[in-house]
Amino acid sequence: MLTASTGKSQTIPTLIGVSWFALSGDRSTVALALDSGIYVSAVSALLSGAQPTWIGSVGASQKVLNLVLDPTGAHLAALVSATKDDGTSVNTRELGYTKTSSGWKWTYDGPVPFTKALGQAWLG
């Protein structure tokens, strides 16, 4: 992690191996994709060294292609895809999660009409 005000960096052990991350528009929530699954945390908790909350896994042959949080950090979308032996992405899907009073809940899983994600944005 790099602190802009001081120009210093530090390693946060819970973040080793992050392949993707997303920050909510209000900068209060961060989502992280690791090989072990998808995690979410309040930014302040993560910076204090707290372990992020695991909210879901992807299949053994799948990988996260991208993550996006809505402006308030209450909704998360993840693009995931399986990968063939030749590296080609197949069966790309969008997984959705919603923050509830008892934690994060998986809310949808739908196919997407492409195999390569260049980016993702939350609209609305």
Side-chain angles (χ1 to χ4, degrees), residues 13-21 31-39 51-52 54-65 67 80-81 83 95 97:
T14 57
L15 300 183
I16 303 299
V18 172
S19 58
W20 285 99
F21 77 95
L32 312 158
L34 287 84
D35 288 341
S36 58
I38 300 170
Y39 296 79
Q51 178 70 26
W54 175 88
I55 64 167
S57 292
V58 296
S61 65
Q62 292 180 313
K63 64 180 180 178
V64 175
L65 302 175
L67 294 172
V80 300
S81 179
T83 305
L95 307 178
Y97 300 89

Side-chain angles (χ1 to χ4, degrees), residues 40-108:
V40 178
S41 176
V43 170
S44 59
L46 194 65
L47 294 177
S48 296
Q51 178 70 26
T53 301
W54 175 88
I55 64 167
S57 292
V58 296
S61 65
Q62 292 180 313
K63 64 180 180 178
V64 175
L65 302 175
N66 212 326
L67 294 172
V68 65
L69 283 160
D70 77 335
T72 66
H75 302 280
L76 169 70
L79 289 177
V80 300
S81 179
T83 305
K84 293 173 33 175
D85 291 338
D86 67 0
T88 307
S89 294
V90 293
N91 193 26
T92 304
R93 309 194 62 77
E94 183 174 49
L95 307 178
Y97 300 89
T98 300
K99 187 176 182 180
T100 68
S101 59
S102 60
W104 285 83
K105 178 182 174 185
W106 171 76
T107 51
Y108 64 89

